[in-house]
Amino acid sequence: MEWETVIGLEIHVQLATKTKIFSGSSITFGAEPNTQACAIDLAMPGTLPSPNEQAFRFATMFGLAVNAEIGKRSVFERKNYFYPDLPKGYQTTQLAEPIVGRGYVDLQLEGGRTKRVGIHHAHLEEDAGKSLHEDYHGMSGIDLNRAGTPLIEVVTDPDMRTSEEAVAFARKLHSLVTSLGICDGEMSQGSMRFDVNISVRPKGQEELGTRTETKNLNSFRFMERCIHQEVERQIEVLEDGGTIKQETRLYDGDTHTARSMRSKEEANDYRYFPCPDLLPVIIDDDYIEAVRKMLPELPDARQARFEATFGLSNYDAGSLSADAATSAFFESTAAACGDAKLAANWVMGEVSARLNSEELSIAAAKVSPEQLAGLIVRIKDQTISNKIAKTVFEAMWDGEGNADEIIEAKGLKQVSDSGALEKIVDEVIANNSAQVENYRSADESKRPKMLGFFVGQAMKASRGQANPQQLNAILLAKLEG
Amino acid sequence: MHNLTIAEISQKLKAKEFSSVEVTEHFLNRIESLDPNYNAFISVTREQALAQARAADIKLAAGDTHIMCGVPFSHKDIFCTDGVKTTCGSKMLDNFVPPYNATVVENYLNAGAVMLGKTNMDEFAMGSSNETSYFGAVKNPWDTNCVPGGSSGGSAASVAARLTPGATASDTGGSIRQPAALCGITGIKPTYGRVSRWGMIAFASSLDQGGVMTRTAKDSAIMLNVMASYDSKDSTCVDQPLEDYTANLGDSLEGVTIGIPKEYFGEGLNPGTLAAVEAAIKLYEAAGAKIKSISLPHTGLSVPAYYVIAPAECSANLSRFDGVRYGYRCDNPKDLEDLYKRSRGEGFGDEVKRRILVGTYCLSAGYYDAYYGKAQQVRRLIKQDFDDAFKQVDVIMGPTSPSPAFEFGSKGDDPVAMYLEDIYTIATNLAGLPGMSIPCGMVDNKPVGLQLIGNFFAEAKLLNLAHQFQQRTDFHQQAPADIA
């Protein structure tokens, strides 16, 4: 039987506000445990929440960016459950009246295909703290620094049909929130966390199959892997005549396996009710319009601009414009070196490769746009070849200085002196008389291919520093002669 | 000295007839010698009180003219006091010392008033007799076999027994007005949102409101002037201009229309109470007020609606008391569930547990619409009743409670009988309106309270009517027999 996969996503996006959603505590990541938790965050008796306007503004920005209706009246509710890292014994969240209503996101997929994914709604809520299960003298530790960090939870319609679509949506969302500047996008720090709802049904069937929800996915790779595994698991169960249990599963990023966390029957009764400590928040059209004016350039617009202004291909423009930091890195480099195409190649090539291999974000790149531009300038003026440039780049990345300093210190300057090049070519011809004979006796049409051998030998002799165009010309002249 | 009102103490402090330290010492000594009879205080803060009094004396000498500067008073133990144990009447918080002040506490500090101590109360303000306090019941100074009412029983008894000239209190369903009535004193619950709830330990957030208890309406006006403030730390606080509640105390009663809701005079009302309340209304009429019979048709639904909404809110508000971060923790928990179950099981008393269970049930899947949803609808109807009534009348009057103080244990086995104690006061909280109780007579040598209910932010009108009554009567000056 042919199966169709149905995927819906719930994404928790941590908002990069200055302070928490209901208190004045800072939300900087990585502080000593419990140093960013005040009496409100600790749910001390008698303390009350004061809503943070910036969180509402960020949520409104998000809503406008996904073409959504903004909830003019949004209501906080209490979601009740006991857990040590949930200080009040309830999470303040939104249910019936969220701040962001129906919207959509358009995706560009491989092969020029497009896909619209519906946003069911997005709501504001507070994050919980963290339970630390390392050994504290046989006890668990509680860190409430994260408690009260503002989140928007984005809930999509079950519109995605493949893991590729789901990952494309996730990437697009990442690109949107980082471009808006409302989230730092640091997935390894939990700034964006994905829950994936997956079901399968026989192709052509209208009715949805029973779904499972897998939580705790904090990378695109995990997400892709998890979807493949879960789809396979569900199909296998169904094809063996079994049924899918509605359940919540937890993904383990270390073992790349998911396990059942709780079934539908074991699900908590959260006893939601409107939070009596917070009045409904009323947002008017003036506020929405003021926020609309503050919206920065969004990825789609930026991609179009990169294509139009810099003459980049659709693909290059798309990958460079996806996130705000990468876009800024590219634009600074292009401006400083005056060659957008080369800048694009380097950012997408060497820079991105090193970031990936060291698992760094672009903000942590060890080469600045100015340094990279300095290198590109030396390629353009033929001081160094592309190949040598890669060596220089590696040295820059390792902190050995600017391009010029490295070229100077390592003596990597391209040899363009025709006398020196002629000498090298003469030696190569002298040392390879058999190949020279072959070349000269070969058919005209085969010669260009055979030239490569001599270029390689000469380059080797010049320690890669020979100006390739010049070298080619001299070699040709001497061989033909 | 202890028979002086706040207004009189303030005047004599400024006239240098005595110092703040002297009047503070006097009350501290009275508490020490007499409170064992009443159990009105959970904590007496002698050292801090004397330090505050000394500071007030310096300010007074320097010409501080704040009316409460140097005046002693007490806080209900529901208000968090920086560095002073705040228990909310519960074993759960017997070890809890807040590192912050409630806004109300801050306001009195800024006024230079002197805190004598923290008064006893029903556990987490849940009760109408003060019998649910972990620190033992408070006794009514008029008859120590009887309850003082609740939940602000300690505040009421300490004012009635002249252990303090005035006290703060809180009112979720009648917790200021009913004990004021049972102890023969004056108490006012302001409009919801008039007084900051920051630092006032929550019972039912949409109903809780801080207020004051004193012997006279004028003293209530003075204390409320200090207590009321807009506070951005409480999102439900209303940013309404502050007014001087003493300014209109002398206004004439001529032309004031008083509404008498027929639903407040039905079955269950003690005949002596009825007679006293009717006499009080006649007195208002004689003084120039117009009396109008009105109807608040949904009154009968207020107790059931309240006992869904208040427990629902408290079931969530009290979840934070989990033995993890502060407060009571059971010995040697074997795992997380055991920690929760025993900390809460051992730390909370029966009434608190009963309300948490009721509230949890009302909010549960499948029951929400039938209970919480319906109760919210009833709440809107009750508010509508008052909106309609205040189109015709300026103030509503009736009894504060169905009968005078009752004996300890007499309603112990029947929570519903206890809940009916608040049948006349609860609707005011559901609507968010200001309410007041003043002494208006005696039955069997026990005081009777007259309730005054005003429109939103009509505190000044209530205090004016109460003051005018007290100008014409002496019920508020009567003291229990053994209080000299």
PDB file of all heavy atoms in Angstrom, chain B residues 406-436:
ATOM      1  N   PHE B 406     -21.234  33.567  67.045  1.00  0.00           N
ATOM      2  CA  PHE B 406     -21.693  32.252  67.491  1.00  0.00           C
ATOM      3  C   PHE B 406     -20.582  31.556  68.276  1.00  0.00           C
ATOM      4  O   PHE B 406     -19.425  31.976  68.246  1.00  0.00           O
ATOM      5  CB  PHE B 406     -22.146  31.405  66.298  1.00  0.00           C
ATOM      6  CG  PHE B 406     -21.173  31.408  65.143  1.00  0.00           C
ATOM      7  CD1 PHE B 406     -20.180  30.439  65.037  1.00  0.00           C
ATOM      8  CD2 PHE B 406     -21.246  32.409  64.150  1.00  0.00           C
ATOM      9  CE1 PHE B 406     -19.277  30.452  63.975  1.00  0.00           C
ATOM     10  CE2 PHE B 406     -20.341  32.422  63.091  1.00  0.00           C
ATOM     11  CZ  PHE B 406     -19.359  31.450  62.993  1.00  0.00           C
ATOM     12  N   GLU B 407     -20.962  30.480  68.951  1.00  0.00           N
ATOM     13  CA  GLU B 407     -19.983  29.813  69.824  1.00  0.00           C
ATOM     14  C   GLU B 407     -19.007  28.956  69.023  1.00  0.00           C
ATOM     15  O   GLU B 407     -19.341  28.464  67.945  1.00  0.00           O
ATOM     16  CB  GLU B 407     -20.711  28.953  70.860  1.00  0.00           C
ATOM     17  CG  GLU B 407     -21.395  29.821  71.892  1.00  0.00           C
ATOM     18  CD  GLU B 407     -21.945  29.018  73.069  1.00  0.00           C
ATOM     19  OE1 GLU B 407     -21.651  27.796  73.153  1.00  0.00           O
ATOM     20  OE2 GLU B 407     -22.651  29.629  73.890  1.00  0.00           O
ATOM     21  N   PHE B 408     -17.833  28.801  69.579  1.00  0.00           N
ATOM     22  CA  PHE B 408     -16.822  27.946  68.941  1.00  0.00           C
ATOM     23  C   PHE B 408     -17.376  26.553  68.700  1.00  0.00           C
ATOM     24  O   PHE B 408     -18.092  26.017  69.551  1.00  0.00           O
ATOM     25  CB  PHE B 408     -15.576  27.841  69.824  1.00  0.00           C
ATOM     26  CG  PHE B 408     -14.766  29.104  69.825  1.00  0.00           C
ATOM     27  CD1 PHE B 408     -14.770  29.944  70.928  1.00  0.00           C
ATOM     28  CD2 PHE B 408     -14.022  29.461  68.707  1.00  0.00           C
ATOM     29  CE1 PHE B 408     -14.039  31.120  70.910  1.00  0.00           C
ATOM     30  CE2 PHE B 408     -13.293  30.631  68.697  1.00  0.00           C
ATOM     31  CZ  PHE B 408     -13.298  31.469  69.788  1.00  0.00           C
ATOM     32  N   GLY B 409     -17.086  26.012  67.565  1.00  0.00           N
ATOM     33  CA  GLY B 409     -17.467  24.624  67.275  1.00  0.00           C
ATOM     34  C   GLY B 409     -18.904  24.463  66.844  1.00  0.00           C
ATOM     35  O   GLY B 409     -19.304  23.385  66.395  1.00  0.00           O
ATOM     36  N   SER B 410     -19.712  25.536  66.927  1.00  0.00           N
ATOM     37  CA  SER B 410     -21.138  25.359  66.657  1.00  0.00           C
ATOM     38  C   SER B 410     -21.413  25.107  65.174  1.00  0.00           C
ATOM     39  O   SER B 410     -22.459  24.612  64.820  1.00  0.00           O
ATOM     40  CB  SER B 410     -21.937  26.563  67.162  1.00  0.00           C
ATOM     41  OG  SER B 410     -21.502  27.742  66.503  1.00  0.00           O
ATOM     42  N   LYS B 411     -20.485  25.482  64.300  1.00  0.00           N
ATOM     43  CA  LYS B 411     -20.693  25.200  62.873  1.00  0.00           C
ATOM     44  C   LYS B 411     -19.567  24.319  62.326  1.00  0.00           C
ATOM     45  O   LYS B 411     -19.365  24.236  61.121  1.00  0.00           O
ATOM     46  CB  LYS B 411     -20.763  26.511  62.085  1.00  0.00           C
ATOM     47  CG  LYS B 411     -21.923  27.383  62.549  1.00  0.00           C
ATOM     48  CD  LYS B 411     -22.109  28.627  61.734  1.00  0.00           C
ATOM     49  CE  LYS B 411     -23.270  29.412  62.360  1.00  0.00           C
ATOM     50  NZ  LYS B 411     -23.680  30.565  61.596  1.00  0.00           N
ATOM     51  N   GLY B 412     -18.874  23.695  63.269  1.00  0.00           N
ATOM     52  CA  GLY B 412     -17.664  22.978  62.903  1.00  0.00           C
ATOM     53  C   GLY B 412     -17.860  21.844  61.925  1.00  0.00           C
ATOM     54  O   GLY B 412     -17.032  21.612  61.061  1.00  0.00           O
ATOM     55  N   ASP B 413     -19.000  21.136  62.032  1.00  0.00           N
ATOM     56  CA  ASP B 413     -19.174  19.949  61.209  1.00  0.00           C
ATOM     57  C   ASP B 413     -19.877  20.261  59.900  1.00  0.00           C
ATOM     58  O   ASP B 413     -20.105  19.370  59.096  1.00  0.00           O
ATOM     59  CB  ASP B 413     -19.997  18.900  61.977  1.00  0.00           C
ATOM     60  CG  ASP B 413     -19.256  18.454  63.230  1.00  0.00           C
ATOM     61  OD1 ASP B 413     -18.016  18.589  63.234  1.00  0.00           O
ATOM     62  OD2 ASP B 413     -19.910  18.007  64.184  1.00  0.00           O
ATOM     63  N   ASP B 414     -20.282  21.499  59.730  1.00  0.00           N
ATOM     64  CA  ASP B 414     -21.122  21.814  58.580  1.00  0.00           C
ATOM     65  C   ASP B 414     -20.548  22.993  57.804  1.00  0.00           C
ATOM     66  O   ASP B 414     -20.856  24.146  58.074  1.00  0.00           O
ATOM     67  CB  ASP B 414     -22.540  22.135  59.074  1.00  0.00           C
ATOM     68  CG  ASP B 414     -23.497  22.327  57.913  1.00  0.00           C
ATOM     69  OD1 ASP B 414     -23.032  22.300  56.747  1.00  0.00           O
ATOM     70  OD2 ASP B 414     -24.693  22.516  58.171  1.00  0.00           O
ATOM     71  N   PRO B 415     -19.679  22.697  56.829  1.00  0.00           N
ATOM     72  CA  PRO B 415     -19.062  23.810  56.096  1.00  0.00           C
ATOM     73  C   PRO B 415     -20.086  24.713  55.429  1.00  0.00           C
ATOM     74  O   PRO B 415     -19.897  25.919  55.351  1.00  0.00           O
ATOM     75  CB  PRO B 415     -18.179  23.114  55.058  1.00  0.00           C
ATOM     76  CG  PRO B 415     -18.479  21.664  55.131  1.00  0.00           C
ATOM     77  CD  PRO B 415     -19.199  21.401  56.402  1.00  0.00           C
ATOM     78  N   VAL B 416     -21.232  24.147  54.991  1.00  0.00           N
ATOM     79  CA  VAL B 416     -22.207  24.979  54.282  1.00  0.00           C
ATOM     80  C   VAL B 416     -22.821  26.004  55.233  1.00  0.00           C
ATOM     81  O   VAL B 416     -23.003  27.171  54.875  1.00  0.00           O
ATOM     82  CB  VAL B 416     -23.284  24.105  53.600  1.00  0.00           C
ATOM     83  CG1 VAL B 416     -24.369  24.987  52.992  1.00  0.00           C
ATOM     84  CG2 VAL B 416     -22.638  23.244  52.515  1.00  0.00           C
ATOM     85  N   ALA B 417     -23.117  25.585  56.494  1.00  0.00           N
ATOM     86  CA  ALA B 417     -23.646  26.538  57.468  1.00  0.00           C
ATOM     87  C   ALA B 417     -22.649  27.673  57.664  1.00  0.00           C
ATOM     88  O   ALA B 417     -23.017  28.848  57.773  1.00  0.00           O
ATOM     89  CB  ALA B 417     -23.913  25.837  58.801  1.00  0.00           C
ATOM     90  N   MET B 418     -21.370  27.325  57.690  1.00  0.00           N
ATOM     91  CA  MET B 418     -20.328  28.339  57.840  1.00  0.00           C
ATOM     92  C   MET B 418     -20.297  29.253  56.611  1.00  0.00           C
ATOM     93  O   MET B 418     -20.176  30.466  56.743  1.00  0.00           O
ATOM     94  CB  MET B 418     -18.977  27.657  58.029  1.00  0.00           C
ATOM     95  CG  MET B 418     -17.845  28.587  58.397  1.00  0.00           C
ATOM     96  SD  MET B 418     -18.020  29.220  60.079  1.00  0.00           S
ATOM     97  CE  MET B 418     -17.148  27.954  60.999  1.00  0.00           C
ATOM     98  N   TYR B 419     -20.448  28.655  55.433  1.00  0.00           N
ATOM     99  CA  TYR B 419     -20.391  29.459  54.207  1.00  0.00           C
ATOM    100  C   TYR B 419     -21.553  30.461  54.167  1.00  0.00           C
ATOM    101  O   TYR B 419     -21.428  31.546  53.598  1.00  0.00           O
ATOM    102  CB  TYR B 419     -20.437  28.563  52.954  1.00  0.00           C
ATOM    103  CG  TYR B 419     -19.245  27.616  52.799  1.00  0.00           C
ATOM    104  CD1 TYR B 419     -19.264  26.569  51.897  1.00  0.00           C
ATOM    105  CD2 TYR B 419     -18.097  27.785  53.581  1.00  0.00           C
ATOM    106  CE1 TYR B 419     -18.183  25.705  51.762  1.00  0.00           C
ATOM    107  CE2 TYR B 419     -17.015  26.924  53.452  1.00  0.00           C
ATOM    108  CZ  TYR B 419     -17.061  25.872  52.551  1.00  0.00           C
ATOM    109  OH  TYR B 419     -15.994  25.023  52.411  1.00  0.00           O
ATOM    110  N   LEU B 420     -22.695  30.084  54.783  1.00  0.00           N
ATOM    111  CA  LEU B 420     -23.863  30.975  54.750  1.00  0.00           C
ATOM    112  C   LEU B 420     -23.666  32.210  55.635  1.00  0.00           C
ATOM    113  O   LEU B 420     -24.427  33.168  55.539  1.00  0.00           O
ATOM    114  CB  LEU B 420     -25.131  30.218  55.154  1.00  0.00           C
ATOM    115  CG  LEU B 420     -25.609  29.190  54.113  1.00  0.00           C
ATOM    116  CD1 LEU B 420     -26.769  28.360  54.654  1.00  0.00           C
ATOM    117  CD2 LEU B 420     -26.016  29.865  52.802  1.00  0.00           C
ATOM    118  N   GLU B 421     -22.641  32.187  56.496  1.00  0.00           N
ATOM    119  CA  GLU B 421     -22.276  33.374  57.273  1.00  0.00           C
ATOM    120  C   GLU B 421     -22.044  34.576  56.345  1.00  0.00           C
ATOM    121  O   GLU B 421     -22.230  35.718  56.716  1.00  0.00           O
ATOM    122  CB  GLU B 421     -20.972  33.112  58.043  1.00  0.00           C
ATOM    123  CG  GLU B 421     -21.154  32.719  59.480  1.00  0.00           C
ATOM    124  CD  GLU B 421     -21.883  33.759  60.299  1.00  0.00           C
ATOM    125  OE1 GLU B 421     -21.337  34.851  60.486  1.00  0.00           O
ATOM    126  OE2 GLU B 421     -23.014  33.474  60.743  1.00  0.00           O
ATOM    127  N   ASP B 422     -21.564  34.300  55.143  1.00  0.00           N
ATOM    128  CA  ASP B 422     -21.157  35.374  54.230  1.00  0.00           C
ATOM    129  C   ASP B 422     -22.204  35.655  53.162  1.00  0.00           C
ATOM    130  O   ASP B 422     -21.923  36.282  52.148  1.00  0.00           O
ATOM    131  CB  ASP B 422     -19.820  35.010  53.574  1.00  0.00           C
ATOM    132  CG  ASP B 422     -18.700  34.923  54.595  1.00  0.00           C
ATOM    133  OD1 ASP B 422     -18.766  35.655  55.601  1.00  0.00           O
ATOM    134  OD2 ASP B 422     -17.773  34.117  54.393  1.00  0.00           O
ATOM    135  N   ILE B 423     -23.441  35.205  53.419  1.00  0.00           N
ATOM    136  CA  ILE B 423     -24.479  35.313  52.382  1.00  0.00           C
ATOM    137  C   ILE B 423     -24.740  36.757  51.962  1.00  0.00           C
ATOM    138  O   ILE B 423     -25.082  37.016  50.812  1.00  0.00           O
ATOM    139  CB  ILE B 423     -25.762  34.599  52.857  1.00  0.00           C
ATOM    140  CG1 ILE B 423     -26.785  34.517  51.729  1.00  0.00           C
ATOM    141  CG2 ILE B 423     -26.376  35.268  54.075  1.00  0.00           C
ATOM    142  CD1 ILE B 423     -27.832  33.443  51.943  1.00  0.00           C
ATOM    143  N   TYR B 424     -24.558  37.716  52.869  1.00  0.00           N
ATOM    144  CA  TYR B 424     -24.833  39.121  52.518  1.00  0.00           C
ATOM    145  C   TYR B 424     -23.595  39.866  52.025  1.00  0.00           C
ATOM    146  O   TYR B 424     -23.687  40.988  51.547  1.00  0.00           O
ATOM    147  CB  TYR B 424     -25.402  39.880  53.726  1.00  0.00           C
ATOM    148  CG  TYR B 424     -26.629  39.234  54.325  1.00  0.00           C
ATOM    149  CD1 TYR B 424     -26.708  38.987  55.691  1.00  0.00           C
ATOM    150  CD2 TYR B 424     -27.721  38.875  53.523  1.00  0.00           C
ATOM    151  CE1 TYR B 424     -27.834  38.391  56.245  1.00  0.00           C
ATOM    152  CE2 TYR B 424     -28.842  38.264  54.073  1.00  0.00           C
ATOM    153  CZ  TYR B 424     -28.889  38.024  55.439  1.00  0.00           C
ATOM    154  OH  TYR B 424     -29.996  37.428  55.979  1.00  0.00           O
ATOM    155  N   THR B 425     -22.445  39.281  52.216  1.00  0.00           N
ATOM    156  CA  THR B 425     -21.212  40.016  51.889  1.00  0.00           C
ATOM    157  C   THR B 425     -20.572  39.573  50.575  1.00  0.00           C
ATOM    158  O   THR B 425     -19.854  40.338  49.936  1.00  0.00           O
ATOM    159  CB  THR B 425     -20.163  39.831  53.016  1.00  0.00           C
ATOM    160  OG1 THR B 425     -20.056  38.440  53.333  1.00  0.00           O
ATOM    161  CG2 THR B 425     -20.555  40.620  54.251  1.00  0.00           C
ATOM    162  N   ILE B 426     -20.844  38.327  50.184  1.00  0.00           N
ATOM    163  CA  ILE B 426     -20.128  37.722  49.057  1.00  0.00           C
ATOM    164  C   ILE B 426     -20.407  38.405  47.722  1.00  0.00           C
ATOM    165  O   ILE B 426     -19.505  38.586  46.891  1.00  0.00           O
ATOM    166  CB  ILE B 426     -20.486  36.218  48.997  1.00  0.00           C
ATOM    167  CG1 ILE B 426     -19.520  35.443  49.887  1.00  0.00           C
ATOM    168  CG2 ILE B 426     -20.455  35.687  47.587  1.00  0.00           C
ATOM    169  CD1 ILE B 426     -19.871  33.978  50.012  1.00  0.00           C
ATOM    170  N   ALA B 427     -21.665  38.831  47.519  1.00  0.00           N
ATOM    171  CA  ALA B 427     -22.038  39.410  46.230  1.00  0.00           C
ATOM    172  C   ALA B 427     -21.190  40.647  45.924  1.00  0.00           C
ATOM    173  O   ALA B 427     -20.838  40.902  44.766  1.00  0.00           O
ATOM    174  CB  ALA B 427     -23.517  39.765  46.232  1.00  0.00           C
ATOM    175  N   THR B 428     -20.863  41.398  46.971  1.00  0.00           N
ATOM    176  CA  THR B 428     -20.051  42.605  46.801  1.00  0.00           C
ATOM    177  C   THR B 428     -18.698  42.265  46.185  1.00  0.00           C
ATOM    178  O   THR B 428     -18.212  42.965  45.298  1.00  0.00           O
ATOM    179  CB  THR B 428     -19.831  43.254  48.182  1.00  0.00           C
ATOM    180  OG1 THR B 428     -21.047  43.170  48.917  1.00  0.00           O
ATOM    181  CG2 THR B 428     -19.408  44.687  48.046  1.00  0.00           C
ATOM    182  N   ASN B 429     -18.079  41.192  46.669  1.00  0.00           N
ATOM    183  CA  ASN B 429     -16.791  40.778  46.117  1.00  0.00           C
ATOM    184  C   ASN B 429     -16.928  40.306  44.682  1.00  0.00           C
ATOM    185  O   ASN B 429     -16.090  40.599  43.834  1.00  0.00           O
ATOM    186  CB  ASN B 429     -16.186  39.652  46.965  1.00  0.00           C
ATOM    187  CG  ASN B 429     -15.912  40.091  48.387  1.00  0.00           C
ATOM    188  OD1 ASN B 429     -16.836  40.158  49.197  1.00  0.00           O
ATOM    189  ND2 ASN B 429     -14.667  40.432  48.690  1.00  0.00           N
ATOM    190  N   LEU B 430     -18.001  39.556  44.409  1.00  0.00           N
ATOM    191  CA  LEU B 430     -18.191  39.057  43.040  1.00  0.00           C
ATOM    192  C   LEU B 430     -18.354  40.219  42.069  1.00  0.00           C
ATOM    193  O   LEU B 430     -17.921  40.155  40.923  1.00  0.00           O
ATOM    194  CB  LEU B 430     -19.410  38.130  42.981  1.00  0.00           C
ATOM    195  CG  LEU B 430     -19.238  36.780  43.684  1.00  0.00           C
ATOM    196  CD1 LEU B 430     -20.580  36.056  43.797  1.00  0.00           C
ATOM    197  CD2 LEU B 430     -18.227  35.898  42.954  1.00  0.00           C
ATOM    198  N   ALA B 431     -18.973  41.314  42.553  1.00  0.00           N
ATOM    199  CA  ALA B 431     -19.178  42.476  41.682  1.00  0.00           C
ATOM    200  C   ALA B 431     -17.988  43.429  41.722  1.00  0.00           C
ATOM    201  O   ALA B 431     -17.869  44.295  40.854  1.00  0.00           O
ATOM    202  CB  ALA B 431     -20.445  43.213  42.101  1.00  0.00           C
ATOM    203  N   GLY B 432     -17.117  43.291  42.725  1.00  0.00           N
ATOM    204  CA  GLY B 432     -15.945  44.173  42.839  1.00  0.00           C
ATOM    205  C   GLY B 432     -16.235  45.499  43.529  1.00  0.00           C
ATOM    206  O   GLY B 432     -15.436  46.431  43.462  1.00  0.00           O
ATOM    207  N   LEU B 433     -17.378  45.579  44.210  1.00  0.00           N
ATOM    208  CA  LEU B 433     -17.816  46.853  44.802  1.00  0.00           C
ATOM    209  C   LEU B 433     -17.247  47.070  46.198  1.00  0.00           C
ATOM    210  O   LEU B 433     -16.865  46.121  46.875  1.00  0.00           O
ATOM    211  CB  LEU B 433     -19.351  46.854  44.891  1.00  0.00           C
ATOM    212  CG  LEU B 433     -20.085  46.803  43.552  1.00  0.00           C
ATOM    213  CD1 LEU B 433     -21.563  46.490  43.783  1.00  0.00           C
ATOM    214  CD2 LEU B 433     -19.912  48.130  42.814  1.00  0.00           C
ATOM    215  N   PRO B 434     -17.227  48.324  46.666  1.00  0.00           N
ATOM    216  CA  PRO B 434     -16.789  48.585  48.035  1.00  0.00           C
ATOM    217  C   PRO B 434     -17.920  48.272  49.023  1.00  0.00           C
ATOM    218  O   PRO B 434     -19.088  48.485  48.717  1.00  0.00           O
ATOM    219  CB  PRO B 434     -16.487  50.085  48.028  1.00  0.00           C
ATOM    220  CG  PRO B 434     -17.374  50.666  46.967  1.00  0.00           C
ATOM    221  CD  PRO B 434     -17.529  49.576  45.928  1.00  0.00           C
ATOM    222  N   GLY B 435     -17.534  47.754  50.186  1.00  0.00           N
ATOM    223  CA  GLY B 435     -18.513  47.430  51.211  1.00  0.00           C
ATOM    224  C   GLY B 435     -17.960  47.770  52.581  1.00  0.00           C
ATOM    225  O   GLY B 435     -16.740  47.824  52.781  1.00  0.00           O
ATOM    226  N   MET B 436     -18.872  47.986  53.500  1.00  0.00           N
ATOM    227  CA  MET B 436     -18.440  48.452  54.820  1.00  0.00           C
ATOM    228  C   MET B 436     -19.351  47.850  55.872  1.00  0.00           C
ATOM    229  O   MET B 436     -20.493  47.512  55.577  1.00  0.00           O
ATOM    230  CB  MET B 436     -18.569  49.976  54.813  1.00  0.00           C
ATOM    231  CG  MET B 436     -17.791  50.652  55.895  1.00  0.00           C
ATOM    232  SD  MET B 436     -17.729  52.420  55.672  1.00  0.00           S
ATOM    233  CE  MET B 436     -16.889  52.790  57.204  1.00  0.00           C
TER     234      MET B 436
END
